Amino acid sequence: MTTSKSEQPAIEGWFEGSGGKAYLLGSRCKSCGAVSFPPETFYCKNPACSGSDFEHTPLSTRGKLWSFTNSCYKPPAPYVAGDPFVPYIVAAVELEKEKMVVLGQVVPGVAIEELRVGMEMSLVSAELFSDEDSSYTIWKWQPAGAVQEN
Amino acid sequence: MASEVAILGVGMHPWGKWGKSFVEYGVKAARQALADAGLELKDIQFISGGDTIRNGYPGFVAGATFAQALGWTGVRVASSYGACASGTQAINAARTQILAGLCDVALVVGADAAPKGFFAPVGGDRPDDPDWQRFRLVGATNPIYFGLYARRRMDVYGATESDFARVKVKNARHGLNNPNARYRKEVSEEEVLASPMVSDPLRLLEICATSDGGAALVLSSMDFARKHCSDPIKIAGISTITPNYPSTVIEMPNLSTDSAAVVDAPEVGFRDSIAAAAYEEAGMGPEDMSLAEVYDLSSALELDWYENIGLCAAGDAEKLLRDGDTAVGGRIPVNPSGGLSCFGEAIPAQAIAQVCELTWQLQSSATGRQVEGATAGVSANQGLFGHGSSVVVKR
Ligand SMILES: [Zn+2]
């Protein structure tokens, strides 16, 4: 475990999470109610709306698997790959309430054969990479039936 | 139709890894297109360049760079960038000049010199750049997106790895006799399925490489063309559309789609609307096409395009392929050039190369891969950041 290292998000303001649990931080337009992720900060993307005021809104932490794949080869920078490189799965999950698809890695330990389009997935916070001092966290997907390892 | 322009000449520098400057590839293609048109550089009133992203200043500011390398003539220039759709943007810029009556004859050039391996984002720490975000935070390489689309076909439509492999087999066969193709080697389904997995279910032989290459067109007004030659091939429609909000299919380089919770998703999704816009300009439909050149960044993606450009209903692409309809000799051959599968991608040149192939096919000069009696064809592709791209060419 990485308890001696300080945990920090790999990107600021996109998600909240600690101790495994996580939720994505979207924005909601105060004029039309449209939700965006990553959070909007300037202008509403709805072409029928001239809104520019947003509030942060936590997004659903569950959704249905839209599709999935993996990376068998090490991607180029700015991805920070472990040494040796460990292949990872990427899931596209459709949040039911928000009706939007969000990509994320799948937590390690899930085999690609376990996944099926349409299955229920849930969001967790997990390490993306670490350096000497810090563990950088990100949101990841896992099958909703699975028990979170700690 | 008033919106048509003539294709007077086409030219290409063969695709490959040649280790030279993109300028050289572009100039070779341009000179070939001029010769094909029977025109000289002094006849060209406008040069439209497709930009490469690999040279600091956007593509060394492509239009002017090609103008200088061909020899300054004081010609007016423009430069376009639309990722994989750059070529179509450049063609459209030239067409617009011609249709507006600002010039009679224009030269369109796109060329690229590509590095090895994965497409990688520009260097440096740039947390505001969606390209940085997708690589850094999720490791979402281009093959990741291709893998997502492929897997969805399998789980939703029952596509198999064998279907995907057969797209590669077909395109490899098509490209065998194309002198401009980089890979000219027949492959078997077994060889495809034995190649290493890159992004499940897609294997190394099913994902397009990056290549060096150059392509060029000489375009003119129909009036100029009629004086110059008897029966030119014509561009009848061009699509450079972007999505309608909310766009609900995950697209490179995004990590998410728009939300369809407040505003309903449009009836026709982005990819289905790309070729439709070109058909509409041309006053034609998919039933009028003799062939298509589509962007097979992966084998499975070619099957998506069959549906997106209206060759069949959603979910029927595998049947079209299995029935041999999309092979040369079939009902509606797709990628008779061999496609990206045999070329690899030379980004700003590729959409121009698609139009070169359509032109050769309609001139019945596509030796070794000719679609018999071809009268019209459509190209389709899509560039990062929401660039639709499609061209309808007819006799
Ligand atoms: Zn709004």
Side-chain angles (χ1 to χ4, degrees), chain A residues 28-34 43-46 48-54, chain B residues 245 262:
Chain A
R28 182 190 308 279
C29 172
K30 286 186 180 174
S31 303
C32 74
Y43 300 109
C44 182
K45 277 187 190 155
N46 176 359
C49 174
S50 56
S52 55
D53 268 352
F54 302 94
Chain B
Y245 178 89
V262 167

Side-chain angles (χ1 to χ4, degrees), chain B residues 134-264:
Chain B
R134 63 158 169 147
F135 276 87
R136 174 69 150 221
L137 304 175
V138 178
T141 60
N142 292 3
I144 285 283
Y145 290 84
F146 309 150
L148 291 172
Y149 306 140
R151 169 59 62 179
R152 188 151 170 95
R153 283 206 77 82
M154 293 177 84
D155 279 19
V156 175
Y157 297 138
T160 63
E161 289 189 41
S162 155
D163 291 325
F164 301 155
R166 282 200 232 179
V167 173
K168 173 70 187 184
V169 172
K170 168 184 76 73
N171 287 345
R173 201 168 289 153
H174 285 174
L176 272 181
N177 297 310
N178 189 340
N180 288 308
R182 174 178 174 189
Y183 303 104
R184 272 174 280 168
K185 187 170 173 286
E186 204 150 359
V187 291
S188 67
E189 187 179 328
E190 293 69 32
E191 285 171 303
V192 177
L193 294 175
S195 68
M197 193 71 87
V198 174
S199 281
D200 188 300
L202 297 174
R203 296 168 183 278
L204 196 58
L205 287 178
E206 297 179 287
I207 291 175
C208 114
T210 54
S211 290
D212 298 354
L217 304 171
V218 175
L219 304 180
S220 82
S221 66
M222 290 307 298
D223 278 348
F224 182 95
R226 274 188 280 269
K227 286 174 209 151
H228 186 79
C229 67
S230 56
D231 194 18
I233 306 296
K234 300 173 270 283
I235 291 181
I238 298 179
S239 164
T240 54
I241 61 161
T242 53
N244 275 295
Y245 178 89
S247 187
T248 55
V249 174
I250 188 81
E251 301 281 9
M252 281 191 286
N254 302 326
L255 289 179
S256 63
T257 66
D258 292 332
S259 161
V262 167
V263 180
D264 286 338

Side-chain angles (χ1 to χ4, degrees), chain A residues 1-7 127 130 135:
Chain A
M1 292 307 297
T2 53
T3 40
S4 57
K5 292 184 183 180
S6 75
E7 244 184 34
E127 182 175 282
S130 64
S135 167

